[in-house]
Amino acid sequence: MKRSYKTGIIIILQVLFLFAMIGVRYYTLSAGAPVLLKAAPVDPWDMFRGEYVMLEYDINWIKNENLNIEDLQKKDVYVLLEKGEKYWHAAGVYVDKPDLAGPRVFVKGRVGYFDEFKEQYHVSYGIESYYVEEGTGMSLQQAGGFDARIRIDRFGNAVIEGIVVP
């Protein structure tokens, strides 16, 4: 009897953990600020994962002069986004959460590496891959560029809402 009690608690905790993971993404989609980013496809198909598109945004590359902090590799940063005419762009990079004024949002990212040729840091936000319906990956790659609708919540978490081919 005692063993089944422990097993039941373990199962309930696993189910609650899965619902919590889903809940965080759902919260970001429902309460997050809408952001439009220009995206470009990198790779449309993987043998094990099916069709998906690896995305790269302008905000993935942060110029060296925008960062005054040494040894940023593998550290979390907050990238301040400002709305342009159509797309949002990076307006600043911070180690701590920035104060928001006006139509701005911040997205939480992780610095991966420094590209010495470009003299820029590569920052990942967790929105660099998007799974597509079977048979549509090649058309997205041939489009060359498209828009990504992103939702960013008040904590800086980002979720892809959809992609639009102009």
Side-chain angles (χ1 to χ4, degrees), residues 16-83:
L16 287 175
F17 178 73
L18 291 174
F19 279 121
M21 286 176 40
I22 294 168
V24 168
R25 295 290 183 187
Y26 182 74
Y27 170 77
T28 302
L29 281 172
S30 62
V35 172
L36 186 67
L37 298 174
K38 185 175 182 175
V42 178
D43 187 355
W45 189 80
D46 184 282
M47 184 167 69
F48 298 108
R49 294 190 261 182
E51 287 200 44
Y52 75 103
V53 178
M54 289 295 295
L55 303 174
E56 185 167 289
Y57 309 98
D58 292 338
I59 63 171
N60 282 120
W61 294 99
I62 305 294
K63 293 184 190 232
N64 192 17
E65 62 260 11
N66 292 349
L67 302 172
N68 297 327
I69 302 156
E70 296 297 322
D71 193 30
L72 267 181
Q73 292 183 7
K74 306 295 183 197
K75 290 192 179 173
D76 291 337
V77 292
Y78 295 92
V79 177
L80 187 65
L81 300 179
E82 228 174 39
K83 185 172 168 83

Side-chain angles (χ1 to χ4, degrees), residues 76-79 106-110 123-126 152 155-158:
D76 291 337
V77 292
Y78 295 92
V79 177
F106 64 85
V107 60
K108 186 177 179 181
R110 185 162 188 84
V123 180
S124 299
Y125 305 98
I152 303 172
F155 304 108
N157 300 317

Side-chain angles (χ1 to χ4, degrees), residues 127-142:
I127 53 173
E128 283 76 27
S129 61
Y130 182 73
Y131 291 91
V132 296
E133 292 182 34
E134 191 73 28
T136 60
M138 252 335 167
S139 64
L140 286 175
Q141 183 183 19
Q142 292 170 353

Side-chain angles (χ1 to χ4, degrees), residues 10 12 27 46 86 94 107 110-111 119 131-132 135-136 148-149 164:
I10 290 172
I12 289 171
Y27 170 77
D46 184 282
K86 182 176 180 180
Y94 303 91
V107 60
R110 185 162 188 84
V111 177
E119 294 186 0
Y131 291 91
V132 296
T136 60
R149 290 188 321 243
V164 179

